[in-house]
């Protein structure tokens, strides 16, 4: 593996005229001596290897092996999805890599090479500044995990999924695989077979976690598949905000990220799950995310997809209890060679449930952004409402956007509405800004930021600032 | 052996066996050889293609994919007394009625139009008399919305229909009326209407689809082609009111050239299960396609509507408005797609599906889609499914209007946005009559 390309990255940052952000922020890697390596390819032995390294209970090994069978049996979903999926070579992927680390509780204990990675990405500062807890995952396993003492004292559990399974089986097993069954789709089956890492959060009844909990995912190794598994349970009346950030260095061979995230909001609970994803342009990001909202509960996905080669991600909420509320706020930016196939699923399963989907996408260069949605209101329900709005912005003549919603309504006591629009940035607007001294790229960036501004304001401030800068970067060289 | 080249099984051809096709060919043996060759090729395609499955994206949510092709016979010669035909008071430029593919009324084109070169004939006559003109336009557009197998079946067994041709710079101010009647239980029909409007021509054509008797079970696999040359204007209205036991498949292909305007309105009232595919191509700058549909669905009827608006040239526009009113246990599916090709800058396209839910057991599926590959465009779509607000019903009821009548009034109010686009009063009245009759069933 190539030694750290730090110098290149720093040079690039110096040359970068967009103030305050390193264009190659995640584009570096370190040689790491992995103690555990499942090798390439996926067989029953790979699954047994992962399970034995993690010293798992028999039931979990059985669960994994069954999932592997499902994965092998299920066809690729190419009858509706992009053919690019066929380019994933499952035999060349490495399914488990770790240095045998247990997550460290203090920053000083984290091995130097891994620490350097996260320091470059600014994790320790973020943690000190405004987080209630943080977990940093490096390839397959968490390298660092910490929760503020005050939050822990309230009974909040925030550990990686391996620890969660081992130490809180009674809480974990009850909901594990219940929101997203193994056979939900080919990639949820894959994740169920080889998952490692990810977070487990439990918030006891009535506890409102005042600051966000954060996880940071980092792919360091080439040809690697990261399969984290996250389960968040907010007990009755509890509230929690969880944020995840992702980076991967750029390798010439593609890399796979296939997570499964399950959220459970019990009666009156609120969960907000925020993702800002900026994977390298060779990552296949195929993620299944779904929440279960009980009576009066609220689940809100805020999803921002910028990087990756192909993202297929449709966060959903199953509105299981009366008056439950689901929301998906999503921003996608697809640049050259990228396809953001994102969307939302709202499954209404109780009376008076409401859901809202707002999706904005920007296609730059030859980028392709797709919205794929599903709204389902079955028979005999009443008072259910859904609102969906999708807006797409096309920057260059070769940009592409698609919208494929599917809305099913049964009965006359419910209402849905869907609106979508596709447009470009007005030339008058760009001309006006250029007249006032902005370059075309700056003007375009301002226009794009204006397009997503109402959504970006819903992000925590640090994230909305990061988002704005990422957009500035993507707009650079994209016009003219 | 891969399934695509395996011998067709009886399940995939049903009643439409080689023997049945040979029998059909003997009935049309007097038609031009090129047409018979095309029919033979179409039969081979039909036999080779698999039946669509519900898991196919083009058949999502549809029960139609489970339909059987068994138990149908080719139309028997009809006694004129059996036809029960009526021309429904259409006093237009010409009237043609076909029952079981046989022409039973032929009030040919008025002399003033005939002198200008306007052609209005049965398709068989047109094939014999105007072969080249028909050959250039009949079934030349591909089937793209999932029914490739049925489109091939339609071409293979198509026996007769109507042909309208309006030459350059000619306007036919009053509508042509075409009536397709199906008689006898178990009959399979393949009606077709071909409309060609040459440069700057203007024409209105109305197609009526009816069964001679209620309660008869029929299989209908029909189509229409609308060609609008440069600057031409076509208004096409199709009123589908088959018997409640009928299975109906209907395919439309519209081509609009430079500055052409095509308005098509499909009223869906009859059939047990009906699938309608409409494919509109905007081929040159200034072309406009207005795609309208009204569905009044009751009992356990299923209406499956698939549309495609393809913008192939810059500065084209299209507008789609599909309104469905659902009563009882009825089900509708709307799946529409706007495609903007990379060169079709300055496209202005809209697509809207509105479902009015009038019953707790009704079921509406909306799949409005966009695929946009040019950036300087204005493309929007919308879909809504909701009931009539209780206050509006209460308002009418509090003024002594019974619920059923109130529903009817509100449905007409809901439909008026589409009905109002039909300028011809007779057609407007016929559409309203069919809708009103549904409330009396």
């Amino acid at each position: 593996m190539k030694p750290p390309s730090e110098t290149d990255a720093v040079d690039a940052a110096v040359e970068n005229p967009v103030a305050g952000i390193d264009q190659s922020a995640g584009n570096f890697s370190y040689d790491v001596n992995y103690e555990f390596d499942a090798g390439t390819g996926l067989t029953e032995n790979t699954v047994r290897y992962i399970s034995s390294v993690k010293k798992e209970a028999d039931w979990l090994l059985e669960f994994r092996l069954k999932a592997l069978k499902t994965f092998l049996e299920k066809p690729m979903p190419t009858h509706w999805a992009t053919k690019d999926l066929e380019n994933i070579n499952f035999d060349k992927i490495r399914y488990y890599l770790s240095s045998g680390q247990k997550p460290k509780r203090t920053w000083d204990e984290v091995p130097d090479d891994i620490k350097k990675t996260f320091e470059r990405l600014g994790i320790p500062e973020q943690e000190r500044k405004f987080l209630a807890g943080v977990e940093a995952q490096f390839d397959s396993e968490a390298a660092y995990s910490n929760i503020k003492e005050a939050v822990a004292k309230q009974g909040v559990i925030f550990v990686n999924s391996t620890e969660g399974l081992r130490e809180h089986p009674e809480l974990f097993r009850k909901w594990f695989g219940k929101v997203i069954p193994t056979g939900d789709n080919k990639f949820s089956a894959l994740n169920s077979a080889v998952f490692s890492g990810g977070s487990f959060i439990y918030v006891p009844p009535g506890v409102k976690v005042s600051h966000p909990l954060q996880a940071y995912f980092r792919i360091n190794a080439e040809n690697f598949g990261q399969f984290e598994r996250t389960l968040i349970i907010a007990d009755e009346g509890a509230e929690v905000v969880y944020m995840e950030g992702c980076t991967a260095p750029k390798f010439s061979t593609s890399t796979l990220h296939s997570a499964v995230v399950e959220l459970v909001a019990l009666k009156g609970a609120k969960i907000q799950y925020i993702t800002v994803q900026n994977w390298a342009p060779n990552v296949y990001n195929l993620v299944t995310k779904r929440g279960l909202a009980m009576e009066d509960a609220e689940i809100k996905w805020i999803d921002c997809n910028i990087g990756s080669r192909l993202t297929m991600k449709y966060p959903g909420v199953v509105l299981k209890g009366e008056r439950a509320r689901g929301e998906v706020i999503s921003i996608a930016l697809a640049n050259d060679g990228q396809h953001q196939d994102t969307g939302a699923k709202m499954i209404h399963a109780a009376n008076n449930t409401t859901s809202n989907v707002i999706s904005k996408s920007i296609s730059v260069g030859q980028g392709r952004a797709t919205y794929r949605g599903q709204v389902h209101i079955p028979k005999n329900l009443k008072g259910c409402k859904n609102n969906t709005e999708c807006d797409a912005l096309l920057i260059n003549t070769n940009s592409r956007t698609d919208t494929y919603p599917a809305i099913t309504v049964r009965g006359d006591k419910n209402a849905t509405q869907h609106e979508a629009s596709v447009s470009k940035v007005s030339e008058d607007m760009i001309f006006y800004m250029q007249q006032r001294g902005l370059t075309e790229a700056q003007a375009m960036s301002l226009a794009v930021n204006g397009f997503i501004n109402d959504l970006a304001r819903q992000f925590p401030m640090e994230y909305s600032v990061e988002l704005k800068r990422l957009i500035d970067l993507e707009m650079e060289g994209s016009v003219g | 052996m891969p399934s695509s080249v395996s011998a067709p099984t009886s399940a995939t051809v049903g009643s439409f066996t080689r023997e049945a096709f040979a029998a059909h060919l003997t009935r049309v043996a007097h038609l031009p050889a090129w047409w018979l060759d095309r029919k033979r090729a179409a039969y081979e395609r039909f036999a080779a293609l698999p039946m669509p499955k519900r898991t196919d994206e083009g058949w999502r949510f549809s029960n139609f994919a489970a339909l059987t092709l068994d138990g149908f016979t080719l139309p028997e010669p009809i006694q004129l007394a059996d036809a029960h035909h009526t021309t429904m008071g259409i006093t237009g430029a010409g009237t043609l009625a076909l029952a079981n593919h046989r022409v039973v009324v032929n009030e040919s084109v008025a002399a003033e139009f005939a002198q200008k070169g306007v052609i209005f004939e049965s398709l068989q006559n047109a094939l014999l008399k105007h072969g080249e003109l028909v050959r250039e336009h009949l079934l030349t557009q591909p089937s793209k919305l999932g029914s490739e197998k049925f489109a091939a079946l339609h071409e293979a067994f198509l026996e007769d229909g109507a042909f309208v041709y309006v030459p350059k710079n000619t306007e036919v101010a009053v509508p042509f009326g075409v009536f397709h009647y199906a008689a006898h239980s178990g009959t399979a029909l393949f009606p077709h209407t071909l409309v060609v409007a040459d440069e700057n021509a203007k024409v209105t054509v109305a197609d009526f689809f009816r069964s001679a008797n209620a309660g008869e079970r029929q299989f209908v696999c029909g189509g229409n082609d609308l060609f609008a040359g440069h600057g031409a204007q076509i208004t096409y209205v199709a009123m589908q009111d088959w018997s409640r036991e009928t299975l109906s498949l209907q395919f439309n292909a519209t081509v609009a050239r430079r500055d052409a305007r095509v308005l098509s309105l499909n009223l869906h009232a009859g059939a047990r299960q009906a699938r309608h595919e409409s494919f509109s191509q905007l081929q040159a700058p200034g072309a406009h396609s207005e795609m309208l549909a009204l569905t009044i669905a009751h009992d356990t009827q299923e209406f499956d509507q698939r549309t495609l608006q393809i913008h192939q040239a810059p500065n084209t526009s299209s507008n789609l408005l599909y309104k469905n009113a659902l009563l009882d246990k009825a089900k509708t599916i709307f799946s529409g797609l706007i495609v903007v090709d990379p060169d079709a800058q300055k496209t202005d396209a809209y697509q809207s599906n509105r479902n009015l839910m009038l019953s707790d057991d009704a079921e509406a599926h909306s799949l409005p889609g966009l695929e946009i590959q040019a950036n300087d465009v204005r493309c929007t779509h919308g879909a809504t499914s909701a009931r009539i607000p209780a206050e509006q019903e209460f308002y009418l009821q509090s003024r002594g209007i019974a619920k059923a009548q109130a529903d009817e009034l509100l449905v007409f109010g809901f439909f008026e946005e589409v009905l109002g686009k039909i300028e011809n009063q007779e057609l407007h009245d016929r559409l309203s009559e069919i809708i009103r009759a549904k409330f009396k069933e």
Side-chain angles (χ1 to χ4, degrees), chain A residues 64-83:
Chain A
R64 287 179 182 275
L65 290 171
K66 212 172 137 194
L68 175 68
K69 198 163 165 275
T70 309
F71 167 72
L72 295 172
E73 282 168 5
K74 270 195 181 286
M76 276 293 207
T78 43
H79 66 288
W80 58 270
T82 166
K83 296 265 178 250

Side-chain angles (χ1 to χ4, degrees), chain A residues 159-179:
Chain A
V159 292
N160 67 46
S161 61
T162 308
E163 277 183 271
L165 272 162
R166 196 178 301 137
E167 285 159 31
H168 309 279
E170 73 294 346
L171 285 170
F172 205 109
R173 269 187 87 169
K174 187 174 174 193
W175 294 107
F176 174 65
K178 300 293 192 300
V179 186

Side-chain angles (χ1 to χ4, degrees), chain A residues 79-80 368 372-374 376 379-381 390 394-424 427, chain B residues 55-57 60-61 329 337 342 345-346 350 354 357-387:
Chain A
H79 66 288
W80 58 270
R368 177 178 176 191
R372 217 179 280 280
Q374 190 184 3
H376 187 80
K379 213 180 142 186
N380 298 331
L381 294 188
C390 307
L394 296 164
I395 302 293
N396 306 85
T397 42
N398 296 326
S399 312
R400 170 169 183 175
T401 185
D402 319 296
T403 314
Y404 308 106
I407 305 150
T408 295
V409 179
R410 294 189 172 89
D412 64 350
K413 296 179 178 62
N414 309 293
T416 63
Q417 59 177 25
H418 172 101
E419 292 285 343
S421 73
V422 177
S423 56
K424 68 172 221 166
E427 280 163 17
Chain B
T55 48
D56 294 343
E57 194 55 22
R60 197 167 164 194
F61 298 120
K329 292 185 172 175
L337 187 61
Q345 297 291 4
K346 306 277 181 197
Y350 186 63
R354 313 281 172 206
M357 313 297 287
L358 293 156
S359 145
D360 200 22
D361 292 316
E363 180 178 323
H365 302 269
S366 280
L367 299 99
L370 302 172
E371 279 179 7
I372 314 294
Q373 295 182 69
N375 72 324
D376 191 3
V377 299
R378 198 172 72 96
C379 294
T380 49
H381 71 198
T384 54
S385 298
R387 58 172 292 159

Side-chain angles (χ1 to χ4, degrees), chain A residues 229-380:
Chain A
R229 181 104 193 178
T230 291
L231 173 61
I232 300 176
I233 303 162
D235 214 323
E236 290 190 10
E239 288 179 18
V240 63
V241 175
Y242 178 80
M243 310 196 303
E244 58 169 359
C246 318
T247 62
K250 197 187 238 167
F251 292 118
S252 56
T253 49
S254 54
T255 309
L256 176 63
H257 173 252
S258 187
V260 164
V261 176
E262 297 176 289
L263 309 184
V264 180
L266 297 173
K267 189 177 173 183
K270 282 186 185 173
I271 302 176
Q272 205 177 107
Y273 192 106
I274 303 166
T275 307
V276 174
Q277 165 215 300
N278 186 25
W279 291 117
N282 57 349
V283 173
Y284 286 90
N285 182 42
L286 311 166
V287 171
T288 313
K289 289 182 164 174
R290 196 171 305 152
L292 191 62
M294 301 304 196
E295 206 177 320
D296 295 310
E298 185 180 306
I299 288 180
K300 185 169 178 174
W301 297 97
I302 297 182
D303 202 24
C304 176
N305 299 296
I306 290 186
S308 84
R309 166 172 171 167
L310 169 68
T311 286
M312 286 172 66
K313 190 205 288 179
Y314 321 100
V317 183
V318 179
L319 300 144
K320 189 100 166 92
E322 285 220 21
R323 295 174 300 281
R325 199 179 125 69
E327 191 161 7
V328 173
I329 306 279
S330 125
I331 294 173
L333 195 151
N335 213 326
D336 275 342
Q338 297 181 339
H339 184 183
Q340 303 287 1
D341 197 327
T342 62
K345 281 185 186 180
M346 289 295 173
I347 311 297
H348 292 255
N351 289 336
N352 300 309
T353 47
T354 54
S355 59
N356 189 30
V357 177
I358 301 179
S359 156
K360 298 215 179 197
S361 71
I362 301 131
S363 304
V364 187
Q366 297 200 21
R368 177 178 176 191
T370 301
Y371 172 83
R372 217 179 280 280
Q374 190 184 3
V375 174
H376 187 80
I377 303 181
K379 213 180 142 186
N380 298 331

Side-chain angles (χ1 to χ4, degrees), chain B residues 272-304:
Chain B
R272 177 157 60 89
Q273 270 190 300
R275 180 174 168 108
H276 184 259
E277 295 183 2
S278 189
F279 170 35
S280 224
Q281 298 172 75
L282 292 310
Q283 290 187 337
H288 176 77
S289 177
E290 189 90 8
M291 300 161 79
L292 308 170
L294 295 175
T295 304
I296 173 98
H298 82 168
D299 199 11
T300 54
Q301 284 182 300
E302 177 181 312
F303 291 95
D304 184 359

Side-chain angles (χ1 to χ4, degrees), chain A residues 80-92:
Chain A
W80 58 270
T82 166
K83 296 265 178 250
D84 192 21
L85 280 178
E86 287 168 1
N87 293 322
I88 302 174
N89 188 342
F90 290 100
D91 295 331
K92 286 199 169 160

Side-chain angles (χ1 to χ4, degrees), chain A residues 133-135 145-147 156-159 199-201 213-214 242:
Chain A
V134 66
E135 189 193 306
S145 171
N146 196 11
I147 182 169
V156 176
I157 299 167
F158 179 37
V159 292
S199 306
F200 171 65
I201 295 171
L213 298 167
Q214 191 186 39
Y242 178 80

